[in-house]
Amino acid sequence: MAAPLYTTASGLLWHAGKILILTVGLPARGKTHISRALERYLRWMGVKTQVVSLGDYRRKTLGGAQSLPSDYFTLGEKTPETIALRQKVSDGCEKLIWDFFEQGGQVVVYDANNGSQKARQALAEKFDKEGIHVIMLESICDNKEIIETNIRNVKISSPDYRGWNPDKAVEDYYGRIRDREQSYETITETNWPFIRIFNVGEKIMVNHIRGYLQSRIVFFLMNIHNRFRMIWFARSGQSLIEHSYKADSDLSPAGWEYAEKLREFVAERRAMALEQNGYDPSERRLVIWTSTRRRAHHSAWPFQTVQSSMSSLSLNSDPPTITDEPITAHKESASKLKVKVIEKPQMSEINPGVWDGLTPDQAKKFYPEEWARFVKDPYAFRAPRAESYHDLSVRLEPVLIELEREKEDLLIIGHSSVIRCLLSYLIGLPASEIPAIEIARGDLLEVMPTSYGVHSQAFHFWDGPGRLVVTPDGEDYLSHRDETNFYENWAEDTKGKKRMTTLDIASLSNVGEAYDMVH
């Protein structure tokens, strides 16, 4: 999506050919997490990539674990019915791989145990004969804490255990692991390129990795982990001069009020979310990323101030209530919040160029030809002396890598154009939809990465200048909106195009969805 600027005659990038990545590893070693993360990153780079999951295909064709024969996952002799079912799943996955390559795909990640050296050797030889580069990707884990965490994550998010008693789900998964350990064969063959990851990023070993794309795959895998963490996104507060990209103005009075409200709500919501997932908020630090623009990093200032009492805040309303539970403990945690604020210059808003300070109607009037091209392709079009969303995505690539590396809870306070790109990466939206994502001031978007996707929720916590207001007759408008803040408001002006709201973003998450309106 972001990096490539050309394709070869075959439609493949960087003359890298077609690549099949075979995952190898015991259950609960993070193979699915690694596969999905790699798919997300390669798609962002513009590489046509697909994960073929044996487990997903098996559930789709045969149903969940409870509908399978009792000897399906066990060792030893199997009934003819079970043998036929396993072969059906294996052949179906292989067909999906061939179909994707024949349709112009470049990289397939085959997410399966592939624990038998004989079986994976035969599979690799079959694809190698057709000119497809094969890479073995083995995930080895001897850290019991990581394995336990992986099992708990699978218990929560795996479709196999939907509706199961949690303890029984964990016990069943441990049984699968014990059976696989008896027959598992680690990679010892050196005739194939391989990548061996220890403890999901603790150490990495490579063999015969060649070319730019394969090297980028290794680079990405060196930066990922599967530790539990939560990510929040929020827009910066309103500034004194909203209409000018060049003017690095401070927050307006309403902007400071917004920043205080954001700090209060994030502290409460974070404490509640962490406690629901079995973590003590006081033992975890919150890292905050902002741009170097005043209105962004000043929106994070209230997080760093020493709070003498909740009544000292310059707010005229009571703190928001998320549920009917008492929030005294969450207020207390807000005053003890451990915070680290980092300013990142790459997270500056998109440069509007000659359109700086213009309303959409003015841009259409003064630059009719450019406007026509912009409406046709808002993602790739670059106004004179401006940045396109493609340019912004390329600029943000180092931030994406740091996003994958970050192991602590993260709050990103940024400009709507930047948040659009980062969200599209995490959720996997196509590039064409980035400019139409509405990031409303006063919404907090919560993202929790899991092995099987992303769980996201959206919370509304503030009404004020710049906030989208919906009238009883269904019409909507931005209260006190500065019409000349072109790119920050473009998503709300995409007349005739599908607008992606915060609610839409939450509903696109792969695991669960919710939208809580908090006043």
Side-chain angles (χ1 to χ4, degrees):
M1 179 186 297
L5 300 177
Y6 77 97
T7 58
T8 62
S10 65
L12 307 182
L13 298 177
W14 301 296
H15 304 276
K18 298 180 179 181
I19 300 174
L20 172 63
I21 300 175
L22 300 178
T23 66
V24 180
L26 291 166
R29 263 56 178 181
K31 298 186 301 300
T32 297
H33 172 81
I34 293 170
S35 299
R36 297 296 178 184
L38 183 58
E39 177 190 44
R40 181 174 64 236
Y41 178 68
L42 292 178
R43 285 182 174 178
W44 175 264
M45 291 180 64
V47 181
K48 296 176 182 177
T49 308
Q50 179 172 306
V51 171
V52 174
S53 170
L54 184 139
D56 287 347
Y57 183 82
R58 184 254 304 160
R59 283 183 284 269
K60 182 179 179 180
T61 56
L62 305 182
Q66 60 271 26
S67 61
L68 297 174
S70 58
D71 60 343
Y72 192 91
F73 292 111
T74 59
L75 293 177
E77 294 292 329
K78 300 186 185 300
T79 64
E81 177 191 4
T82 299
I83 294 174
L85 290 175
R86 294 178 66 90
Q87 189 63 45
K88 176 182 178 181
V89 171
S90 178
D91 292 344
C93 289
E94 189 174 324
K95 184 179 185 303
L96 289 177
I97 296 173
W98 285 119
D99 289 346
F100 184 72
F101 282 137
E102 291 172 359
Q103 293 167 7
Q106 185 166 6
V107 177
V108 172
V109 183
Y110 184 29
D111 179 17
N113 290 332
N114 291 314
S116 166
Q117 181 176 346
K118 180 180 179 181
R120 63 177 177 256
Q121 178 80 12
L123 187 62
E125 290 177 352
K126 187 181 300 185
F127 284 92
D128 182 65
K129 289 179 181 178
E130 299 299 324
I132 295 171
H133 304 290
V134 179
I135 300 175
M136 308 268 186
L137 173 57
E138 184 174 21
S139 181
I140 299 174
C141 188
D142 55 12
N143 186 317
K144 294 182 179 180
E145 181 180 349
I146 295 179
I147 295 174
E148 175 72 20
T149 300
N150 286 344
I151 291 176
R152 293 292 172 182
N153 287 342
V154 168
K155 178 263 294 182
I156 294 173
S157 57
S158 171
D160 265 347
Y161 296 111
R162 210 165 277 159
W164 278 50
N165 176 281
D167 294 332
K168 289 186 177 181
V170 172
E171 181 182 349
D172 181 82
Y173 208 81
Y174 266 123
R176 290 195 199 181
I177 294 175
R178 286 191 294 269
D179 285 343
R180 290 288 183 273
E181 285 176 338
Q182 298 180 40
S183 60
Y184 180 75
E185 296 174 306
T186 188
I187 293 179
T188 56
E189 57 269 34
T190 58
N191 55 322
W192 298 104
F194 69 74
I195 304 168
R196 184 175 291 161
I197 302 177
F198 296 85
N199 293 327
V200 196
E202 188 177 285
K203 183 173 69 173
I204 191 167
M205 181 186 299
V206 299
N207 176 64
H208 289 312
I209 297 298
R210 299 169 181 171
Y212 177 77
L213 184 53
Q214 294 186 23
S215 298
R216 292 295 293 184
I217 291 172
V218 174
F219 167 72
F220 175 76
L221 294 175
M222 291 173 66
N223 288 280
I224 66 172
H225 65 88
N226 68 340
R227 294 187 182 182
F228 175 85
R229 43 95 179 248
M230 303 195 72
I231 305 170
W232 293 272
F233 293 90
R235 278 187 65 172
S236 56
Q238 184 193 48
S239 61
L240 291 169
I241 307 176
E242 283 274 286
H243 67 271
S244 176
Y245 171 81
K246 297 177 182 178
D248 187 12
S249 63
D250 207 340
L251 292 175
S252 67
W256 286 109
E257 179 185 349
Y258 169 87
E260 294 281 8
K261 197 78 169 181
L262 174 64
R263 185 267 307 157
E264 184 180 334
F265 185 77
V266 168
E268 294 179 11
R269 175 58 203 164
R270 175 176 177 268
M272 179 173 290
L274 291 177
E275 289 171 1
Q276 288 174 347
N277 286 278
Y279 294 92
D280 184 353
S282 64
E283 297 179 354
R284 299 170 66 91
R285 185 171 65 170
L286 176 65
V287 177
I288 301 177
W289 290 357
T290 75
S291 75
T292 54
R293 308 283 284 186
R294 283 194 180 97
R295 67 175 177 271
H297 69 83
H298 283 185
S299 295
W301 276 16
F303 288 87
Q304 298 177 293
T305 58
V306 178
Q307 304 172 40
S308 58
S309 68
M310 295 301 289
S311 61
S312 66
L313 300 178
S314 57
L315 299 175
N316 298 321
S317 58
D318 294 330
T321 303
I322 300 176
T323 65
D324 294 332
E325 299 178 14
I327 61 174
T328 305
H330 302 315
K331 285 185 180 180
E332 182 181 353
S333 68
S335 63
K336 299 178 180 179
L337 201 61
K338 299 177 182 177
V339 173
K340 178 181 180 181
V341 179
I342 302 174
E343 298 176 23
K344 294 183 177 293
Q346 303 99 322
M347 287 177 53
S348 294
E349 64 196 283
I350 191 171
N351 186 344
V354 298
W355 288 355
D356 188 22
L358 300 181
T359 67
D361 289 337
Q362 289 173 333
K364 183 178 181 180
K365 177 182 178 181
F366 299 141
Y367 300 92
E369 294 182 4
E370 288 83 356
W371 179 264
R373 292 165 57 197
F374 171 70
V375 173
K376 184 177 181 181
D377 190 356
Y379 174 79
F381 174 74
R382 182 189 299 116
R385 296 189 292 279
E387 284 182 302
S388 66
Y389 271 98
H390 177 87
D391 298 329
L392 178 60
S393 297
V394 173
R395 166 154 61 90
L396 287 172
E397 186 172 359
V399 177
L400 298 179
I401 296 299
E402 292 185 52
L403 183 64
E404 294 287 356
R405 287 178 60 89
E406 185 60 62
K407 297 178 181 179
E408 298 184 279
D409 298 326
L410 178 64
L411 168 63
I412 295 177
I413 303 176
H415 314 283
S416 60
S417 53
V418 173
I419 295 177
R420 287 175 186 132
C421 293
L422 297 179
L423 274 177
S424 69
Y425 168 75
L426 285 174
I427 297 179
L429 293 177
S432 60
E433 295 186 11
I434 291 179
I437 299 174
E438 175 194 320
I439 306 298
R441 184 175 286 132
D443 280 355
L444 179 71
L445 189 63
E446 179 181 280
V447 177
M448 184 173 67
T450 69
S451 296
Y452 284 84
V454 174
H455 179 94
S456 65
Q457 300 183 76
F459 302 91
H460 167 54
F461 65 93
W462 183 82
D463 285 301
R467 171 66 198 174
L468 185 69
V469 177
V470 181
T471 61
D473 57 1
E475 295 294 325
D476 55 16
Y477 65 94
L478 281 174
S479 63
H480 308 285
R481 178 176 67 178
D482 191 328
E483 293 286 348
T484 56
N485 191 351
F486 179 78
Y487 270 102
E488 295 300 280
N489 292 323
W490 168 249
E492 291 81 26
D493 290 314
T494 48
K495 299 173 183 177
K497 295 175 66 69
K498 182 181 185 296
R499 187 177 68 198
M500 297 287 293
T501 65
T502 315
L503 176 59
D504 296 324
I505 293 295
S507 67
L508 285 172
S509 62
N510 293 330
V511 184
E513 62 274 340
Y515 187 81
D516 293 350
M517 301 300 293
V518 182
H519 296 280

